[in-house]
Amino acid sequence: MFHNSFYLFICIFITTILAISPKEGINSDPTKQYLVTNLPGLNNIDDDYKPLMYSGQLELFPENNTNYYFWKFIDSKKSDLNNKRTIFWLNGGPGCSSMDGALLEIGPFRINKDKQVTLNNGTWHKSGDIIFVDQPAGTGFSYTDQDKYLHDLDDMAFYFLKFMEKYYEVFPQDLENDIYLAGESYAGQYIPYIADYIIKRNQNLKEDEQDKTYKLKGLLIGNGWVSPNEQSLSYLPFFIENKLIDSSHPKILELLNQQEQCQKIIDKIDNHFNDDEINPAEIDSSICEGILTKLLEYTLNQSANDDQKCINMYDYTLRDSWPYCGMNWPMELKYVNPFLNDNDVKHDLNLKQLRTWHECTGRVSRNFNARHSFPSVHKIPDLVKHIPIILFNGANDIICNSQGVMQYLMKLEWNGQIGFENKDSQLDWIHDNSKVGSYLQERNITFINIYNSSHMVPYDLPDVSRALIDLITDNYDEKENQIITYPLGVHRKGVEQEEDQHSLEETEEQPTQSNSTTTTTDSITSSSSSSSTTSTTTTEEPTSNKITRLIQLAVIVIVIWGIYILYASYRSRPSSIIKKSTTNKKKNVQWADQLDTFEEDIEENLHKDEGGFITKAFNKISGKTNNNKLNPNYVPLDDFIIGSDDEDTPEPPKPPPKNYDKKDNNNNNDDVNNSV
Ligand SMILES: *[C@@H]1O[C@H](CO)[C@@H](O)[C@H](O)[C@H]1NC(C)=O
Ligand SMILES: *[C@@H]1O[C@H](CO)[C@@H](O)[C@H](O)[C@H]1NC(C)=O
Ligand SMILES: CC(=O)N[C@H]1CO[C@H](CO)[C@@H](O)[C@@H]1O
């Protein structure tokens, strides 16, 4: 018997090793075709920050040639703290590329004038894998057959779930990770719909499919466009409060009149908020949104230089030329465009179709009218029964300003009550020793107003925006009237920095669940000296990690085997180990079964580890409001927006591009930064 068990063990052990090894080889790795190994300027990036990257166009539906582009960034020096998060980031529009998020906001790179990547040290990829997705099809590097553009939010969410399915086919290890959806602007419409679809999908999984659950843990919506008309009602008060218009202005009566019309529409909506049918008043927001158009026009400074005439609608402290009023902002956009349209870069990013990249694609927004979709504010109450939502707002933004967000929240009923109970008891948010904003949290909704930042908070304050991840994962301290977060790598008091080597034992680690305090830095005193390079404990190379794990595995297996042998030699009847076993034969089979289970655990652990250095990401959506939809009613000038269908023409070898750079000749505003 001893010998039999011994050989059985040897066989199983060797089988285990054989089964595990091929997965370590890169040869059979389906992710390989998406690996990004080169980019202009990449060699100048500090090794600590140089991410592991995957990028490419994933086919969703071959029948209509729908392919979604994604770009994923993983911390190549990952500590366990961020091992288990996948953050999808979406920009808005509709039709604006999430490359804004990647290259102007939360990603590790910014682009300089030499078309090279430079470091953004406030990058989110050190707090979780971030994945940027261009969607719906036609946006950025994503594409589809010409007549397959999406129109409504339900279709959008359905397609996004399809993208996730394809994504997890390529990166199955990521199924282990917690998922966060984050984004900006019109993504305030996308994200709640996608979250709703994920939750319903999980609920419909069969018993034996539970390992396919998408572990959605929270939503982060920045300057979100969630309740369109309600938010438009805030424009006039916002202008007055920030002294952008004077109450003695000759047009003030006209503006008040339109404000009143908008208020009537909102009353109508309020009275029918819980109807099953979509209220037409809620879908058409032209009257309410028109208020902003007029405000921008009536506050023109005719005597200023051309590039200073109009208030920047994404940051009221800035100016832009008329009629762009912010669409030329941020300045670095003019570097991003040539960078992404460089053919070498497109090859580096593994594009199979070399499309021309536009920040925002007019054809997508023209098609995406959301006429058959409830605005996403209707989804919020159900969502917060399941997950927390952080709504954060750059305080200088006009188009999706904080007042408007607070306004719709104060009317909304969620988790048993209407609005915030203690609206006026906001806490101060202290990040890295500075007061960066105000914080209000009740019943799974957190509202954060972030000072000195625009519509694109991470553009202005990348490190502050990164700390939002700490807020949604409970890595913060609370005392008196303050919420306190720390620079990267510093954890809340009472939380130990986790060592990489602990990871095998830790299965469901949450940073906040550790209890010892030994290595915590007192960030209040160490302050700014702790640059983010001090962040994590020393991490080993992934390969040596694996060898270590394999050795650990071998040791564990041998120990267990030893215990078994010991046990077996003291007891003739194995049934005490193995329930229900009656005969020796049966025993052996069951013993093998148990070992199998054990192997699965180990394999799972290896997978987790692999997931660690293989993938995680977040998609960001930043968008443009309906204000920038190509409806001439909304825009200040007749020729404000000239639609061009040629913008979507793929580059050669497809049909000869007729005039896809028409923009340069014809002032085609479809392509300028008109994101909400
Ligand atoms: C808030 O979200 C959590 C999940 O993070 C959930 O368990 C809880 O029930 C929610 N709270 C309320 C009041 O619904
Ligand atoms: C990031 O870079 C900025 C500008 O160079 C610098 O002021 C800041 O201290 C850096 N932050 C960290 C966390 O390294
Ligand atoms: C530099 C700057 O603009 N600082 C401002 C940041 O926000 C606070 C609160 O609104 C202002 O008091 C500061 O002046």
Side-chain angles (χ1 to χ4, degrees):
M1 181 210 154
F2 178 89
H3 282 96
N4 282 347
S5 313
F6 181 74
Y7 289 131
L8 179 62
F9 163 72
I10 292 293
C11 287
I12 289 167
F13 185 68
I14 288 172
T15 316
T16 310
I17 298 300
L18 288 180
I20 290 168
S21 317
K23 286 174 192 143
E24 302 210 35
I26 216 157
N27 292 339
S28 60
D29 188 345
T31 63
K32 195 183 166 196
Q33 59 175 305
Y34 300 107
L35 198 60
V36 179
T37 53
N38 188 43
L39 281 175
L42 188 60
N43 287 338
N44 301 329
I45 301 287
D46 186 310
D47 270 351
D48 269 351
Y49 279 91
K50 209 176 279 177
L52 181 61
M53 292 180 276
Y54 296 90
S55 159
Q57 290 153 322
L58 279 183
E59 183 169 74
L60 309 193
F61 298 102
E63 59 274 24
N64 57 22
N65 197 27
T66 297
N67 287 255
Y68 273 15
Y69 174 71
F70 75 97
W71 191 352
K72 167 173 182 171
F73 299 85
I74 303 159
D75 184 5
S76 57
K77 311 272 172 174
K78 195 179 267 213
S79 76
D80 286 304
L81 277 181
N82 60 16
N83 249 345
K84 303 277 176 197
R85 289 181 203 140
T86 298
I87 305 167
F88 290 100
W89 174 276
L90 300 174
N91 283 91
C96 295
S97 166
S98 296
M99 295 308 101
D100 275 7
L103 301 174
L104 295 166
E105 300 187 86
I106 71 165
F109 304 139
R110 302 278 166 100
I111 308 299
N112 68 15
K113 62 177 174 11
D114 303 320
K115 289 199 287 186
Q116 293 190 326
V117 297
T118 62
L119 178 65
N120 163 26
N121 66 9
T123 172
W124 288 22
H125 86 287
K126 294 243 159 213
S127 297
D129 299 347
I130 46 179
I131 304 166
F132 302 86
V133 185
D134 278 343
Q135 65 92 48
T139 302
F141 285 136
S142 295
Y143 57 93
T144 187
D145 285 348
Q146 298 283 315
D147 56 346
K148 294 299 176 202
Y149 286 66
L150 298 184
H151 310 297
D152 279 291
L153 289 161
D154 281 299
D155 293 339
M156 180 283 308
F158 176 79
Y159 272 60
F160 196 85
L161 270 279
K162 188 71 181 180
F163 165 79
M164 291 179 80
E165 183 188 320
K166 295 290 175 185
Y167 173 86
Y168 287 111
E169 277 171 20
V170 179
F171 302 103
Q173 306 86 343
D174 283 14
L175 278 169
E176 305 271 344
N177 297 351
D178 287 345
I179 297 172
Y180 295 88
L181 302 179
E184 180 179 286
S185 206
Y186 195 82
Q189 294 290 323
Y190 297 152
I191 289 172
Y193 267 79
I194 295 170
D196 181 45
Y197 270 59
I198 290 177
I199 289 168
K200 289 191 175 124
R201 171 195 175 275
N202 288 345
Q203 286 166 348
N204 288 331
L205 284 176
K206 297 196 194 82
E207 197 93 320
D208 61 343
E209 293 174 328
Q210 292 305 315
D211 57 338
K212 299 251 185 327
T213 301
Y214 293 162
K215 298 183 190 164
L216 183 64
K217 297 294 180 191
L219 312 181
L220 292 157
I221 298 175
N223 293 74
W225 189 242
V226 172
S227 183
N229 285 310
E230 191 79 56
Q231 288 179 253
S232 296
L233 199 64
S234 68
Y235 294 139
L236 184 56
F238 188 90
F239 266 66
I240 292 172
E241 181 181 303
N242 292 290
K243 302 191 167 41
L244 301 173
I245 195 167
D246 196 276
S247 51
S248 62
H249 193 285
K251 297 281 193 183
I252 203 78
L253 279 181
E254 183 192 332
L255 288 163
L256 285 171
N257 186 14
Q258 188 152 348
Q259 184 83 355
E260 198 183 322
Q261 288 178 49
C262 176
Q263 181 65 59
K264 279 182 187 151
I265 289 171
I266 289 177
D267 293 345
K268 231 184 266 177
I269 295 171
D270 286 347
N271 290 334
H272 295 274
F273 192 80
N274 294 318
D275 287 3
D276 292 334
E277 299 274 300
I278 295 174
N279 185 343
E282 209 171 356
I283 304 307
D284 175 13
S285 42
S286 51
I287 288 182
C288 291
E289 285 177 22
I291 298 171
L292 179 58
T293 310
K294 287 192 172 159
L295 279 165
L296 291 172
E297 190 178 340
Y298 297 162
T299 54
L300 278 180
N301 182 351
Q302 298 292 1
S303 58
N305 288 341
D306 272 355
D307 61 349
Q308 301 282 312
K309 278 190 165 43
C310 192
I311 292 170
N312 181 330
M313 63 183 136
Y314 306 113
D315 185 335
Y316 75 83
T317 65
L318 304 175
R319 294 287 183 277
D320 194 3
S321 58
W322 173 261
Y324 296 95
C325 304
M327 294 188 187
N328 293 316
W329 170 94
M331 178 275 284
E332 289 83 354
L333 197 56
K334 64 172 186 266
Y335 306 144
V336 170
N337 210 307
F339 175 82
L340 287 175
N341 283 313
D342 182 305
N343 272 339
D344 289 341
V345 170
K346 288 182 188 182
H347 285 295
D348 289 340
L349 296 178
N350 308 311
L351 297 194
K352 42 184 189 185
Q353 200 199 78
L354 301 184
R355 292 168 53 83
T356 303
W357 183 84
H358 298 280
E359 189 205 20
C360 298
T361 302
R363 180 184 283 192
V364 174
S365 68
R366 277 196 296 282
N367 277 280
F368 202 93
N369 53 37
R371 215 162 273 155
H372 303 99
S373 314
F374 280 106
S376 65
V377 62
H378 289 264
K379 300 276 184 193
I380 305 278
D382 272 342
L383 290 175
V384 293
K385 289 176 189 161
H386 302 278
I387 46 170
I389 302 183
I390 289 184
L391 299 159
F392 63 96
N393 258 74
N396 295 351
D397 184 24
I398 294 174
I399 197 160
C400 300
N401 65 68
S402 302
Q403 279 195 20
V405 175
M406 186 55 92
Q407 222 160 273
Y408 76 72
L409 285 176
M410 287 311 290
K411 284 184 179 175
L412 194 66
E413 177 169 359
W414 80 90
N415 284 337
Q417 241 172 317
I418 296 176
F420 287 107
E421 213 175 341
N422 299 302
K423 179 178 178 238
D424 297 323
S425 61
Q426 310 205 353
L427 309 180
D428 288 334
W429 177 17
I430 311 293
H431 177 69
D432 199 5
N433 295 323
S434 305
K435 183 166 144 184
V436 294
S438 67
Y439 177 102
L440 185 57
Q441 205 265 97
E442 284 181 23
R443 314 190 307 281
N444 279 351
I445 291 186
T446 307
F447 173 73
I448 301 177
N449 191 32
I450 304 179
Y451 306 140
N452 307 313
S453 60
S454 66
H455 186 71
M456 299 167 96
V457 176
Y459 168 78
D460 301 296
L461 303 172
D463 192 57
V464 172
S465 77
R466 186 203 47 75
L468 292 165
I469 304 289
D470 293 330
L471 292 178
I472 208 165
T473 56
D474 287 340
N475 184 26
Y476 62 88
D477 285 308
E478 185 168 358
K479 66 175 181 203
E480 286 158 26
N481 297 324
Q482 296 183 335
I483 294 289
I484 302 164
T485 54
Y486 304 102
L488 189 65
V490 181
H491 302 291
R492 75 171 200 171
K493 294 192 176 175
V495 177
E496 181 188 18
Q497 268 181 254
E498 286 163 88
E499 307 272 334
D500 194 47
Q501 71 218 42
H502 292 171
S503 64
L504 195 69
E505 298 115 62
E506 289 159 356
T507 46
E508 291 299 315
E509 77 270 24
Q510 277 286 339
T512 56
Q513 283 166 0
S514 304
N515 41 21
S516 114
T517 60
T518 46
T519 59
T520 306
T521 315
D522 185 343
S523 70
I524 299 292
T525 50
S526 73
S527 78
S528 59
S529 63
S530 57
S531 81
S532 41
T533 50
T534 65
S535 60
T536 56
T537 55
T538 50
T539 50
E540 299 161 25
E541 286 303 311
T543 334
S544 53
N545 261 346
K546 289 202 159 177
I547 290 166
T548 313
R549 299 271 150 85
L550 270 182
I551 293 169
Q552 286 173 334
L553 178 145
V555 170
I556 292 169
V557 169
I558 287 167
V559 166
I560 293 212
W561 168 72
I563 291 170
Y564 168 72
I565 291 302
L566 266 180
Y567 198 83
S569 63
Y570 281 101
R571 297 214 169 204
S572 52
R573 219 164 30 92
S575 58
S576 54
I577 303 181
I578 299 132
K579 280 182 195 156
K580 291 177 193 156
S581 90
T582 48
T583 71
N584 274 351
K585 198 175 172 194
K586 181 109 178 166
K587 175 206 79 182
N588 276 338
V589 171
Q590 293 213 356
W591 185 78
D593 281 353
Q594 288 209 333
L595 192 56
D596 276 351
T597 314
F598 181 61
E599 285 159 23
E600 274 162 29
D601 286 347
I602 297 202
E603 228 177 308
E604 211 169 80
N605 266 323
L606 283 171
H607 276 264
K608 277 177 195 165
D609 184 47
E610 210 165 86
F613 78 96
I614 286 187
T615 63
K616 284 161 200 183
F618 220 136
N619 298 355
K620 129 186 178 157
I621 299 177
S622 85
K624 63 182 181 183
T625 62
N626 290 350
N627 245 54
N628 301 308
K629 271 193 184 165
L630 306 172
N631 178 339
N633 291 334
Y634 303 163
V635 299
L637 292 182
D638 284 351
D639 64 347
F640 188 36
I641 290 180
I642 298 164
S644 163
D645 284 349
D646 303 312
E647 63 195 356
D648 297 328
T649 310
E651 286 187 355
K654 288 275 177 168
K658 281 175 232 152
N659 41 5
Y660 63 82
D661 52 0
K662 190 173 168 184
K663 173 192 173 192
D664 297 332
N665 312 324
N666 283 9
N667 187 23
N668 176 0
N669 293 327
D670 273 16
D671 306 327
V672 300
N673 172 30
N674 47 2
S675 57
V676 167

